[in-house]
Amino acid sequence: MPCNWEPGKDVMSAGPEAVSVLYCLLPKYTTMGCLSSKGDDEKEDSGNRKRPKVVKWSYDLVEHKKWSKPEKEEFKQRFGGSTDKMLEFLNTKGLVGETKVFLPGELDGYDITFEDCTDCDFYVLDITSQIQADNCTGCRFFCSPCSGSAFFRDCKNCSIAVACAQLRMRDCSSCRMMIFVPRQLTIESSKKTEVACWNVKYFGLAVQFARAQLSVYENGWYHAHDFSTNSMPTTLPSSTTLQDIMEGHDRPWKPLDQVAASQSPEDPSMDPIVPLVTGDRSNQTCFVLFSHGLNEAASKVSAHFSGGKGGALLGIAATRELMLREADLKVLFPGSSLKCPNRREIFKSGPVMAFLLTGAGGACGIVRSLLRSSGVCILGEEPADSAPDAKLGQVYIWDEKHCGAPAAYVLDTIRGDFDG
């Protein structure tokens, strides 16, 4: 395939197909597998797009009570000041056929481990900073958002639901997983692994994602990096439920609402907060860019396409939340397309959210209808004398004929702010 792209030039000129080729075949121009160019942009951030602390991400806009992980000595007082009792609580070992529940507020962001357990059910309903499970067989794990890494090693015939910042598996077999992970699942020497997109909702989940500082728009569950090259997981359909993941054992699975309190005063809504993304871009028809602060509008679109309200043919292929630099905006909005002179300023005001939608051609129309009913301005479709204010939230939509290149650039080429 001919391609005239060179580092520092507009990657969009290569077209969406060439973008994908470049993404795969030019490692010397990449940082952690993503395209970069030498020059001014490198000086700006040295190839590392770290999350700026001064901006507000989507999870910063979730209303909840102020919270911070307690100091170790404070946490230990819950166990009468005993280090041994605290460690016994945090480290589960050698259980057989038991159910153990960690309720909200009991872990408060501390690490938790499971080792040498058989046929047990574990409900981790509080946020953690790290999860480790070693040599467990026939167990079921439900793990609320973890701000750090989750490790599963030498586990067999386990059912796992986990949301975390990093997810690693090694020497596991016949495990079924429902996952949320910002970049990818890392897998090694494992076999017969099945994975599905996180499809869980319960009262308090939005607050837990916020406290773990996980953006619900950064789910790369369908990406896997296989160190051993022969253990790639099988992806399950988007209709997969938590109950589906937890079945296949010789004991019933107790639903979450029967395990813990059914409602939290901090989160009065039961709408799903994590978009049900498929990772399948074969029928992409619409690419939507939400400017900073339009969480409600993005959630409305997510709920519609994740909940099957548009029919089986409509869905969400991928979502992202990231900061756009001036160089990115010049690629996405070339000077010739700037009907609105301050369009770049609108999308520089803070983190943006991007949705790639799939369907039989009606996705863009549905999105426009949803946004107009919410009073959101759609750029390029407003009267010429109503120039949008950069301080107000705006949305830009690329239709089926034009969505390929911008979607490839935002989803593949730009290294994410949550990639570490």
Side-chain angles (χ1 to χ4, degrees):
M1 179 184 298
C3 178
N4 298 321
W5 182 84
E6 296 178 6
K9 288 189 176 181
D10 182 355
V11 72
M12 297 294 280
S13 63
E17 294 83 3
V19 166
S20 299
V21 174
L22 287 167
Y23 178 64
C24 299
L25 301 181
L26 294 180
K28 70 177 181 177
Y29 295 127
T30 65
T31 303
M32 293 293 288
C34 299
L35 289 171
S36 62
S37 60
K38 306 297 182 181
D40 294 339
D41 288 344
E42 185 179 65
K43 294 177 182 178
E44 176 183 335
D45 60 8
S46 301
N48 295 315
R49 296 171 65 93
K50 298 297 184 181
R51 278 177 283 177
K53 299 299 183 182
V54 294
V55 303
K56 287 187 177 295
W57 298 88
S58 57
Y59 54 73
D60 292 318
L61 303 179
V62 177
E63 294 185 4
H64 60 90
K65 296 177 183 177
K66 187 176 181 180
W67 174 89
S68 61
K69 180 179 176 180
E71 296 293 334
K72 184 176 180 180
E73 289 301 318
E74 178 186 349
F75 187 72
K76 192 166 64 173
Q77 293 307 311
R78 303 180 185 184
F79 308 92
S82 170
T83 298
D84 290 341
K85 290 182 179 180
M86 179 185 71
L87 293 177
E88 182 181 357
F89 177 75
L90 296 175
N91 302 303
T92 301
K93 187 174 182 178
L95 297 186
V96 178
E98 295 191 27
T99 296
K100 192 170 184 178
V101 180
F102 298 87
L103 293 172
E106 289 189 340
L107 293 169
D108 265 346
Y110 273 79
D111 298 359
I112 189 169
T113 67
F114 304 92
E115 186 177 357
D116 299 329
C117 295
T118 303
D119 296 334
C120 292
D121 292 340
F122 299 112
Y123 296 81
V124 184
L125 303 179
D126 197 13
I127 65 169
T128 53
S129 54
Q130 182 172 283
I131 300 167
Q132 293 188 52
D134 293 282
N135 196 35
C136 292
T137 301
C139 292
R140 297 186 288 202
F141 300 85
F142 177 85
C143 303
S144 292
C146 171
S147 62
S149 299
F151 301 90
F152 293 88
R153 294 171 293 223
D154 298 292
C155 293
K156 302 176 181 63
N157 300 314
C158 289
S159 296
I160 302 162
V162 61
C164 55
Q166 280 191 336
L167 180 56
R168 298 175 180 269
M169 294 184 70
R170 191 188 70 202
D171 297 317
C172 295
S173 64
S174 301
C175 290
R176 307 188 83 200
M177 308 182 74
M178 175 169 282
I179 64 176
F180 173 98
V181 62
R183 184 149 180 84
Q184 64 187 10
L185 164 65
T186 300
I187 191 168
E188 182 177 4
S189 301
S190 297
K191 58 185 180 180
K192 297 182 180 179
T193 303
E194 296 178 302
V195 295
C197 179
W198 177 271
N199 185 14
V200 179
K201 60 180 182 179
Y202 58 84
F203 289 105
L205 181 60
V207 172
Q208 290 180 338
F209 264 89
R211 288 177 173 172
Q213 295 192 323
L214 295 174
S215 168
V216 298
Y217 303 109
E218 284 285 303
N219 191 3
W221 73 273
Y222 46 87
H223 287 307
H225 179 72
D226 181 9
F227 280 107
S228 51
T229 71
N230 61 355
S231 55
M232 289 295 287
T234 300
T235 57
L236 298 173
S238 58
S239 58
T240 303
T241 65
L242 180 62
Q243 186 68 35
D244 294 333
I245 295 295
M246 297 302 174
E247 287 179 348
H249 299 264
D250 59 358
R251 58 194 186 278
W253 168 254
K254 196 172 184 180
L256 300 180
D257 58 2
Q258 297 179 22
V259 175
S262 62
Q263 184 171 354
S264 164
E266 294 179 318
D267 186 2
S269 172
M270 273 294 285
D271 288 336
I273 66 165
V274 178
L276 192 58
V277 296
T278 65
D280 180 6
R281 303 190 201 174
S282 59
N283 193 23
Q284 60 189 35
T285 57
C286 184
F287 185 58
V288 187
L289 196 64
F290 295 85
S291 66
H292 178 58
L294 288 182
N295 282 42
E296 290 188 11
S299 296
K300 191 171 185 178
V301 172
S302 172
H304 187 93
F305 282 82
S306 296
K309 299 175 184 176
L313 295 178
L314 297 178
I316 305 175
T319 60
R320 293 204 62 187
E321 181 175 10
L322 70 166
M323 289 288 293
L324 295 177
R325 300 170 297 176
E326 183 66 26
D328 302 324
L329 293 166
K330 288 179 180 179
V331 172
L332 293 171
F333 302 111
S336 59
S337 70
L338 283 179
K339 297 178 182 179
C340 170
N342 58 357
R343 183 175 299 171
R344 291 177 187 163
E345 293 301 318
I346 290 170
F347 290 101
K348 280 175 60 179
S349 61
V352 303
M353 293 156 288
F355 282 48
L356 179 60
L357 306 175
T358 58
C364 284
I366 293 173
V367 171
R368 289 186 177 98
S369 178
L370 290 171
L371 295 178
R372 285 168 180 157
S373 67
S374 302
V376 175
C377 174
I378 302 174
L379 288 173
E381 301 180 11
E382 306 303 316
D385 59 352
S386 60
D389 187 337
K391 295 180 181 179
L392 302 177
Q394 315 290 342
V395 171
Y396 194 83
I397 300 174
W398 288 266
D399 62 17
E400 183 175 2
K401 293 182 179 179
H402 305 94
C403 70
Y409 182 78
V410 172
L411 298 174
D412 297 330
T413 306
I414 303 177
R415 186 183 178 201
D417 304 276
F418 290 83
D419 292 347

